[in-house]
Amino acid sequence: MLSMISLDGVMQAPGGPKEDPSGGFDYGGWTAPYFDETGDRFIEKQMKPCDYLLGRKTYDIWASYWPEHADRWPGINEGTKYVLTRAFDKSDPLVNGWKNTVFLKNLADIENLKNSAGGDIQVWGSSKLIQLLLKNDLVDEFRLLIFPVTLGHGKKLFDKGTLPAAFTLIESIVTPGGVIIACYKRAGEVKTGTVGS
């Protein structure tokens, strides 16, 4: 799972001013001032060919952009896009307009996908989907880009219902612009103890 978050955990509309103004969010594009070559290299590394699990809103945004801009993300059109949605209209051009799209209806479909043979499945954006995954212990890895800004309100990465879990840091980078890139892998249950003993 790759998420761009503020210091206070907001992940809404990092890419542009008009990306997602829902809930009165008016800071769309808040990550742009902080990107530099180091951050760009990390993102390019994450854009390797793979399959994707997306919520419907993220899918709609991606399906209206990436089919025409695949030169900026080689392999995006070839990867399978698994989309969790309860309602879609097959006549919608976004539904039929992007090849290799599979619609999932519920949590059981996601669990079956996770337990099937195959390569990595990345989750980008998709805040509501992430909440479902966190509540059901379906996250194996976090790739977080933590930006030096607080936004006060907006869709959060961690919200009510996140299960306790331990993670191990497997990679970390600090960019010249102050973005902390931290990659964590699932490491079992939360352990407790006493500090200093």
Side-chain angles (χ1 to χ4, degrees):
M1 163 181 315
L2 187 141
S3 294
M4 299 176 197
I5 62 171
S6 64
L7 287 173
D8 56 342
V10 174
M11 60 181 293
Q12 186 170 352
K18 298 179 183 177
E19 183 179 346
D20 179 9
S22 64
F25 190 76
D26 54 4
Y27 295 109
W30 52 272
T31 64
Y34 300 99
F35 266 101
D36 51 41
E37 285 186 28
T38 303
D40 289 346
R41 278 196 304 272
F42 178 81
I43 292 294
E44 286 172 13
K45 183 176 156 186
Q46 306 313 304
M47 296 168 85
K48 63 184 180 183
C50 68
D51 294 335
Y52 310 91
L53 176 60
L54 306 170
R56 177 59 194 262
K57 184 173 270 192
T58 300
Y59 173 78
D60 286 348
I61 292 167
W62 281 28
S64 67
Y65 181 81
W66 286 115
E68 304 301 320
H69 299 89
D71 58 315
R72 297 187 64 199
W73 191 339
I76 186 67
N77 289 329
E78 288 67 41
T80 302
K81 279 69 69 177
Y82 295 98
V83 184
L84 180 66
T85 181
R86 289 190 200 113
F88 64 91
D89 179 352
K90 289 186 179 181
S91 66
D92 183 338
L94 294 180
V95 171
N96 292 320
W98 202 6
K99 65 182 178 178
N100 301 327
T101 297
V102 175
F103 291 94
L104 307 177
K105 295 180 181 173
N106 52 42
L107 179 63
D109 289 344
I110 295 174
E111 290 171 334
N112 290 337
L113 176 63
K114 186 177 188 301
N115 294 323
S116 65
D120 290 343
I121 299 172
Q122 291 187 356
V123 178
W124 290 62
S126 307
S127 61
K128 288 183 181 178
L129 171 62
I130 288 173
Q131 301 308 314
L132 179 68
L133 299 176
L134 289 171
K135 286 178 186 177
N136 290 279
D137 199 17
L138 293 171
V139 176
D140 294 329
E141 194 171 299
F142 285 109
R143 295 173 190 168
L144 304 178
L145 286 81
I146 305 162
F147 288 77
V149 61
T150 56
L151 299 171
H153 73 283
K155 296 175 183 175
K156 303 268 185 162
L157 175 61
F158 300 104
D159 209 348
K160 297 174 185 171
T162 300
L163 292 179
F167 290 82
T168 298
L169 183 68
I170 57 174
E171 180 180 6
S172 63
I173 303 166
V174 178
T175 72
V179 177
I180 299 170
I181 300 171
C183 301
Y184 295 94
K185 191 174 185 76
R186 187 73 159 84
E189 302 302 315
V190 174
K191 295 176 184 172
T192 64
T194 302
V195 175
S197 62

